[in-house]
Amino acid sequence: MSDAEMRRVTAICNGTVIDHIPGGQALQVLRMLRLESGISNPISLVMNVPSDKLGRKDVLKIEDRELVQEELDRLAIIASEASVAIIRNYGVAEKRQVGLSDELVNIIKCSFSNCITQNQREPLPQRLRVVSRSPVEIRCSYCGKIQDMAEIHERII
Amino acid sequence: MEYPPLDQIRESVMGDVITMDDLTNEEIIKLLDNARKMLPVAKGDIHLPLLQGKVLANMFFENSTRTRMSFETAMKRLGGEVLNFTSAGSSVSKGETLFDTMQMIDGYADVAVIRHPRQGAAQYSADAVSIPILNAGDGAGNHPTQTLLDLFTIREAHAEFKDLNVVLVGDLRYGRTAHSLSNALARFGVNLTLVAPESLKMPNEIVSDLKSLGGIVTETDQLYEQIKDSDVIYMTRIQKERFPDEDEYSKVSEIYTLTESDLIGSKENMIIMHPLPRVNEIHPSVDSTKHAMYFEQAFNGIPTRMALLCKSLGIDISREVL
């Protein structure tokens, strides 16, 4: 991020900065990370700022919270190009890579109404495989149905 | 609900056949060669107890005639035993999960065939148990053992697959038979014509898969103009039980019917296939023509399923039968 962009929101002391989220997707990212309600951490959100890489991008700053790998896996589903910096004492302490695994286990629930996994009492984990990364295409490992990416945030487990 | 960790999933077993992707082209050809060797055993002319002492569990959570019976005949003619399960009257009607039912079968049998109304049930079962699972139809998903007998029938009639003109007709949306067969045919270089009304077209993900497999695929709603150039016409039933409402079903239920007179001008060696049961798709007048292959096709379930059971149970037919 450039200084000008940094000044759009206050620098944070400790927490996580997610940069290079595709423009307009920040609210979905919050939902994917289950940060949209029920937490008290301050969150700053910048949407649709110009970006050389993406044209338009969103930026999220989450105070006093360091995202873990499992959360980064979720993030990758809708923002695989995002970069994540862990901030400690106003400095970048660590950069973490967002990576989309080949298989998503217990992250997304299959949307197909006749999939065997729709029976809530069946105990095996939800498994979906990533068949394409650009654009992201995800299929249920059981029924094989392609998942609708526009609604994927509603299927988060 | 809280989901359990991944370690509950069993390792995939070599003998599982859930979709046609579980078999390479070479494995398919070997199975078809082995099925041919099994023909005299399938007819009962030779006694060959290759599977003596082995137990097959026929797990049918949905109706079946040919698939269940041909698996049973295949197993018994090879000297094996069969446990027949139907969900009516079992613990499933008391609310038992598929996972729990399959745990029991894991201990009772050496191999299981499963048919289930829900899509993905066969893969789910394979993840739940350590014995080989053969998918005999999961909802509108896949039916790979039907595909093997279909391939066997086509190969016996035409010797080669490459460049054949195969026309798949009817319910391509819900028809699991058509889903699995089209996948295999695309892999063998067949020219595929998919004939269906708009509401029953092949699902987009399958058409996209067929094209990525290198298949030459044409989609149309016109059947009769295809007949002249066809080598294989594969009719399927419009499946009433898969329609959400009766009105939608009645709009398309009799859209494609073949009669003897429709076949005038067709190729000499063109064959008509159908996974059966048929309703109105093929008029009985076709039965006595040289093109009718559907009853022979139903018989072919026995030798192909013999070959598949042997493969799943680690018996090498090419070593056992010269």
Side-chain angles (χ1 to χ4, degrees), chain A residues 105-106 109 112-127 139 141-146 157, chain B residues 1 3-6 8-9 95-99 116-121 123-124 127-128 138-139 205 208-209:
Chain A
V105 178
N106 280 347
K109 198 167 164 27
F112 180 47
S113 60
N114 197 37
C115 179
I116 184 67
T117 59
Q118 292 293 333
N119 180 350
Q120 297 261 322
R121 291 176 47 250
E122 290 294 350
L124 286 186
Q126 292 275 336
R127 293 170 59 204
R139 285 191 185 193
S141 298
Y142 294 112
C143 71
K145 287 284 179 185
I146 296 175
I157 292 171
Chain B
M1 76 176 270
Y3 283 88
L6 181 61
Q8 207 167 339
I9 296 177
E96 186 170 59
T97 59
L98 178 60
F99 182 85
H116 198 283
R118 282 208 182 256
Q119 208 156 315
Q123 182 61 57
Y124 188 89
D127 282 356
D138 59 331
E205 63 256 36
S208 129
D209 283 351

Side-chain angles (χ1 to χ4, degrees), chain A:
Chain A
M1 241 187 313
S2 68
D3 288 350
E5 285 170 16
M6 286 291 280
R7 281 196 295 276
R8 286 180 198 273
V9 286
T10 324
I12 61 172
C13 177
N14 293 300
T16 306
V17 174
I18 309 173
D19 196 0
H20 298 110
I21 298 167
Q25 297 282 313
L27 291 171
Q28 276 211 41
V29 168
L30 285 176
R31 289 191 196 107
M32 294 291 275
L33 298 176
R34 294 203 201 96
L35 294 173
E36 83 279 27
S37 63
I39 62 156
S40 55
N41 305 54
I43 296 174
S44 311
L45 186 156
V46 182
M47 292 181 80
N48 291 325
V49 292
S51 158
D52 290 342
K53 198 169 156 190
L54 299 171
R56 296 267 159 190
K57 68 172 184 177
D58 295 356
V59 182
L60 273 174
K61 295 185 176 189
I62 306 152
E63 292 185 43
D64 301 323
R65 168 92 175 255
E66 295 188 4
L67 292 186
V68 297
Q69 192 59 46
E70 188 264 336
E71 291 169 308
L72 299 184
D73 287 347
R74 288 163 195 265
L75 176 61
I77 295 166
I78 54 170
S80 57
E81 302 286 302
S83 43
V84 175
I86 303 298
I87 309 294
R88 289 176 199 140
N89 198 21
Y90 296 102
V92 175
E94 200 180 317
K95 288 195 170 181
R96 289 190 183 160
Q97 285 301 311
V98 172
L100 196 51
S101 318
D102 292 339
E103 190 170 49
L104 307 172
V105 178
N106 280 347
I107 293 177
I108 305 281
K109 198 167 164 27
C110 175
S111 62
F112 180 47
S113 60
N114 197 37
C115 179
I116 184 67
T117 59
Q118 292 293 333
N119 180 350
Q120 297 261 322
R121 291 176 47 250
E122 290 294 350
L124 286 186
Q126 292 275 336
R127 293 170 59 204
L128 293 102
R129 63 180 194 281
V130 177
V131 290
S132 162
R133 288 182 153 71
S134 183
V136 175
E137 187 178 304
I138 297 172
R139 285 191 185 193
C140 175
S141 298
Y142 294 112
C143 71
K145 287 284 179 185
I146 296 175
Q147 306 295 302
D148 182 352
M149 294 307 291
E151 295 175 356
I152 201 86
H153 59 278
E154 292 170 11
R155 317 295 307 177
I156 289 283
I157 292 171

Side-chain angles (χ1 to χ4, degrees), chain B residues 40-51:
Chain B
V41 189
K43 289 173 182 162
D45 295 340
I46 295 176
H47 180 59
L48 188 67
L50 291 178
L51 299 183

Side-chain angles (χ1 to χ4, degrees), chain B residues 299-316:
Chain B
F299 166 77
N300 289 338
I302 300 172
T304 46
R305 286 172 174 135
M306 283 177 161
L308 187 59
L309 285 168
C310 286
K311 180 179 190 298
S312 289
L313 291 167
I315 305 287
D316 186 351

